[in-house]
Amino acid sequence: MRVSVIGCGHLGIPHAAAMAQLGHQVIGVDTDSSKISALNSGKAPIYEAGLSELLAKHTASGELKFTLSLKMAAEFADVHFLAVGTPIDSDGRSYDTGQVFGAVRELAPYLTRPCTIMGKSTVTVGTTKRLTELVHRLAPVGDAVDVVWNPEFLREGHAIDDTLRPDRIIAGVTSERAERTVREVYGPIIDSGVPLFVMTPETAELTKGAANTFLGMKISYINAVADMCDAAGADVAQLVEALGIDPRIGHGGMRPGIGYGGGCLPKDVRAFTASAGQLGVDHAEALLLAAEAVNDRRPEYAVQLIDAALDRDLSGARVAMLGAAFKAGTNDVRESPALAVAGRLHQRGARVTVHDPVAVPSAARRHPELEYANDVTDAVIDADVVVVGTEWPQYQEIRPEDLNGLVATRTLVDFRNIVDSDQWTEAGWTVHCVGRPSTAPADRSS
Ligand code: NAD
């Protein structure tokens, strides 16, 4: 099929590349001309495993092109995936759907033959209905344009894999014709056994919000339990292992740490919570507000833990922050918990040097006040404390002996509970984790 992907960001670029991989002819559209030039030369402006290879392959074959022109996309494609951003509004709670309505308002007047708009962005319930009315009013072909809501569930860091092998496809449709288009465009994926859930657009919109909000709630729950473990001297890692064995609970998302971040979860939890209030379901709103409050407190909790771990004043202390990305596998630093902590430490007078395998350039743009290092060994020089802020597997492989002669004090705070604390303690380090008792070299000899 001939498809367009409108909005080439963390969702749109992997989606465009994956659609080309499925055998479609694809045109990606964005308003950012530097992004379009990079993409047309096969270069990915974001980091995702496997993305560069797919982009290079399909731009070279001509099956994947990028343009600034929605008119060109309208003339070319029969299916238009909408993957523009929905940042949080200035009220801090609802989505700003300006990019969604802006793109459709611009596209619709060029729609002169039957086609389908498939919305992938995360939106407030009711958006598809309003968009459908707008398109039918503005498109020369009128109601021959179907609007489908097809929310995306990919995880950054796994974007290509999740797009080609999703655990589900959701189609919010209002006609059999629209459902047929969904089945055709995702044909190879559905044929491979991935379940397709067909529902109304309203149910599709709410399903996406409910999924991300549940994840946020689960993370906040285990973080709150980790705090109880800290207070009681218990071990949250052992607790999680035993807790998650119950299939109704599961181990997924049960990783205590410094809270959820990124371009999706924080805003989706906020917007879904606000929707609960707008729909008049006050008890749902109250439940979700508590999950948000736990997450909002995480950076301050982290700063306090670092402060307590230091054997000197935080002001003037040298902190090596390992990790800037909001999670491993991406260079996305939007609402990154590691950077939120680094920023607060800097405000309190600490000298923070941040390392990340791929996210240093994006972090430096957002936080120019921090110092950056391209190697872990440079980041830790003279550090009073080394902090693991992102769960990159590389940090699990650090040999503590290699850092011993570089740091000022052998103190590690592992906010992701990923290091082998025995190994670090044996090398002379004091290790602080989340929801687990701290270990010091003296503990081992006693
Ligand atoms: P993003 O900010 O990285 O990308 C959005 C892109 O849309 C930008 O490149 C922007 O220039 C472009 N754009 C804006 N207006 C446009 C227009 N009129 N025409 C063409 N392009 C336009 O955002 P993202 O992270 O890719 O998220 C996009 C949507 O997908 C959001 O609603 C988000 O909640 C949802 N989502 C994202 C993910 C993810 O992992 N990032 C996962 C699931 C759902």
Side-chain angles (χ1 to χ4, degrees):
M1 295 173 90
R2 290 173 149 225
V3 309
S4 82
V5 178
I6 301 167
C8 294
H10 291 272
L11 161 57
I13 300 171
H15 192 74
M19 289 303 106
Q21 182 69 5
L22 287 186
H24 299 308
Q25 286 177 272
V26 185
I27 190 159
V29 190
D30 205 282
T31 47
D32 181 335
S33 53
S34 60
K35 233 182 215 183
I36 292 300
S37 332
L39 287 163
N40 269 329
S41 56
K43 292 199 185 80
I46 58 167
Y47 175 79
E48 275 292 341
L51 176 62
S52 298
E53 293 80 352
L54 284 193
L55 270 182
K57 176 175 155 195
H58 295 297
T59 49
S61 72
E63 297 298 296
L64 175 57
K65 298 188 178 84
F66 294 91
T67 176
L68 290 164
S69 164
L70 277 169
K71 180 171 184 283
M72 192 183 280
E75 285 162 2
F76 175 83
D78 301 307
V79 173
H80 301 283
F81 289 105
L82 206 50
V84 295
T86 50
I88 210 76
D89 212 339
S90 52
D91 66 5
R93 301 216 62 80
S94 47
Y95 292 114
D96 174 351
T97 48
Q99 291 182 33
V100 173
F101 281 90
V104 167
R105 207 169 270 123
E106 200 183 326
L107 174 76
Y110 300 121
L111 299 177
T112 52
R113 63 176 194 278
C115 63
T116 306
I117 295 176
M118 292 181 61
K120 301 205 68 63
S121 305
T122 307
V123 293
T124 318
V125 60
T127 301
T128 313
K129 195 162 180 247
R130 287 170 52 218
L131 267 185
T132 307
E133 286 160 8
L134 180 74
V135 173
H136 290 177
R137 187 156 49 79
L138 296 183
V141 73
D143 63 8
V145 183
D146 287 322
V147 182
V148 172
W149 219 257
N150 165 228
E152 179 57 57
F153 292 86
L154 70 81
R155 297 161 302 161
E156 281 183 38
H158 306 264
I160 293 292
D161 216 37
D162 284 354
T163 308
L164 289 171
R165 283 170 284 279
D167 45 21
R168 83 213 97 159
I169 295 170
I170 303 276
V173 300
T174 51
S175 71
E176 282 180 17
R177 182 178 66 182
E179 182 184 333
R180 277 197 300 277
T181 307
V182 175
R183 288 186 182 280
E184 195 182 345
V185 79
Y186 287 119
I189 297 178
I190 295 167
D191 290 347
S192 74
V194 170
L196 168 70
F197 294 92
V198 180
M199 50 185 71
T200 65
E202 289 77 15
T203 312
E205 291 160 342
L206 279 176
T207 303
K208 171 65 192 177
N212 270 8
T213 304
F214 186 77
L215 285 175
M217 214 166 54
K218 208 171 175 191
I219 295 167
S220 279
Y221 174 74
I222 204 59
N223 281 334
V225 171
D227 292 350
M228 291 175 69
C229 287
D230 269 338
D235 186 333
V236 76
Q238 291 177 354
L239 179 149
V240 163
E241 228 172 285
L243 191 67
I245 204 80
D246 182 334
R248 292 169 304 172
I249 298 175
H251 287 113
M254 287 285 198
R255 302 196 59 165
I258 36 174
Y260 54 79
C264 292
L265 233 54
K267 77 178 166 85
D268 292 349
V269 174
R270 276 178 216 134
F272 195 71
T273 306
S275 276
Q278 284 148 14
L279 293 166
V281 190
D282 296 345
H283 49 286
E285 187 185 21
L287 172 74
L288 305 176
L289 279 171
E292 253 191 284
V294 170
N295 203 60
D296 290 346
R297 276 201 288 270
R298 284 331 262 172
E300 188 51 37
Y301 148 87
V303 170
Q304 283 171 12
L305 208 157
I306 291 168
D307 194 12
L310 282 166
D311 56 11
R312 52 154 297 156
D313 270 1
L314 179 57
S315 177
R318 296 191 77 117
V319 181
M321 175 62 75
L322 304 187
F326 85 93
K327 67 171 182 176
T330 175
N331 65 341
D332 192 348
V333 297
R334 292 178 290 181
E335 300 218 29
S336 159
L339 285 181
V341 175
R344 277 170 191 251
L345 291 169
H346 174 81
Q347 278 168 7
R348 308 256 175 109
R351 275 193 69 182
V352 188
T353 305
V354 180
H355 170 269
D356 192 281
V358 296
V360 165
S362 39
R365 277 195 294 277
R366 280 188 188 231
H367 283 276
E369 77 281 13
L370 302 173
E371 293 171 38
Y372 293 91
N374 287 323
D375 292 306
V376 170
T377 46
D378 291 338
V380 304
I381 288 171
D382 293 335
D384 297 297
V385 60
V386 176
V387 178
V388 177
T390 307
E391 71 282 21
W392 284 102
Q394 291 91 319
Y395 299 148
Q396 267 173 316
E397 283 152 25
I398 296 172
R399 284 167 22 98
E401 302 79 19
D402 295 344
L403 311 189
N404 280 356
L406 303 173
V407 296
T409 313
R410 295 180 199 175
T411 301
L412 179 80
V413 178
D414 176 10
F415 283 126
R416 302 294 188 157
N417 289 3
I418 59 165
V419 306
D420 176 347
S421 34
D422 282 350
Q423 188 194 355
W424 284 72
T425 314
E426 271 162 26
W429 288 69
T430 300
V431 180
H432 304 271
C433 296
V434 177
R436 309 187 69 183
S438 303
T439 52
D443 300 341
R444 298 190 55 82
S445 53
S446 60

